[in-house]
Amino acid sequence: MSAVWLKIITILCLYCSALTDTEVKGLVWRNVGEAFTIQCRTDREQESLCLQMGLNKEFDVFFRNKISVKDIVAQKFTGRLESNGVFPNMDIFIKNLSLTDTGPYWCGYSMYDEMAHEQKVINGKGSMLLVVTDEGLPYHSETTTRRHQ
Ligand SMILES: *[C@@H]1O[C@H](CO)[C@@H](O)[C@H](O)[C@H]1NC(C)=O
């Protein structure tokens, strides 16, 4: 088995065990140069959305505040990312994918909790694992990606 596949399997295992049942366990396969859309959803009032990447959410990809229409996009995704929708429900489209875009993407919503006097962060619906490969898709992409199209 190639090193690429061992890496993908490791990411898969860590990602699936990190998710709770209430979150969407979406898995999307793409080839290098292709595009994907992540659909962040929540049914509760929120003040901001931060799309984060990485097993420990260590990388901020995209930020949108409720009262501002200006997006903040990480340099790595500048010119490749578009957002659509009405806050807090946003579709985030990323094109020209590269191998280093592989990883979990989390829809992190944040709201100030008056009672607790603290910022409350929740995972919205739409979090997913993206796997970008240059070795061809492992099986027909329609079976794994239809719910996101
Ligand atoms: C896509 O990204 C690669 C680097 O990953 C870059 O060389 C290429 O110019 C980009 N293509 C487009 C159409 O932006």
Side-chain angles (χ1 to χ4, degrees):
M1 195 181 293
S2 75
V4 171
W5 283 103
L6 281 176
K7 186 180 166 220
I8 289 171
I9 287 166
T10 306
I11 291 170
L12 262 177
C13 293
L14 290 170
Y15 171 76
C16 290
S17 56
L19 281 183
T20 66
D21 288 340
T22 53
E23 294 157 354
V24 177
K25 296 185 179 185
L27 170 60
V28 170
W29 295 90
R30 289 290 186 271
N31 285 314
V32 167
E34 290 183 342
F36 90 118
T37 302
I38 179 163
Q39 299 178 310
C40 293
R41 299 287 183 270
T42 179
D43 51 14
R44 272 182 270 170
E45 197 193 340
Q46 300 294 344
E47 283 162 359
S48 65
L49 164 64
C50 186
L51 179 67
Q52 292 175 306
M53 188 200 164
L55 286 168
N56 300 310
K57 307 177 184 177
E58 57 268 33
F59 187 78
D60 292 347
V61 175
F62 168 92
F63 180 84
R64 164 67 73 90
N65 196 300
K66 181 183 178 181
I67 53 172
S68 139
V69 287
K70 194 174 174 291
D71 293 341
I72 298 170
V73 177
Q75 197 175 7
K76 178 175 156 70
F77 294 94
T78 305
R80 293 199 290 140
L81 186 150
E82 287 164 29
S83 68
N84 286 294
V86 178
F87 187 90
N89 296 316
M90 305 291 300
D91 288 358
I92 297 155
F93 173 82
I94 300 174
K95 65 182 178 184
N96 196 17
L97 295 170
S98 69
L99 295 177
T100 59
D101 294 333
T102 293
Y105 288 74
W106 312 87
C107 296
Y109 286 101
S110 173
M111 177 87 183
Y112 188 73
D113 186 330
E114 301 279 352
M115 306 289 273
H117 299 290
E118 62 182 19
Q119 206 72 20
K120 203 171 179 186
V121 181
I122 61 154
N123 282 322
K125 294 198 176 84
S127 298
M128 63 163 73
L129 175 61
L130 171 70
V131 178
V132 183
T133 169
D134 58 0
E135 300 192 337
L137 296 172
Y139 40 90
H140 199 272
S141 59
E142 214 172 272
T143 55
T144 51
T145 60
R146 64 177 187 276
R147 62 197 290 192
H148 299 291
Q149 288 171 350

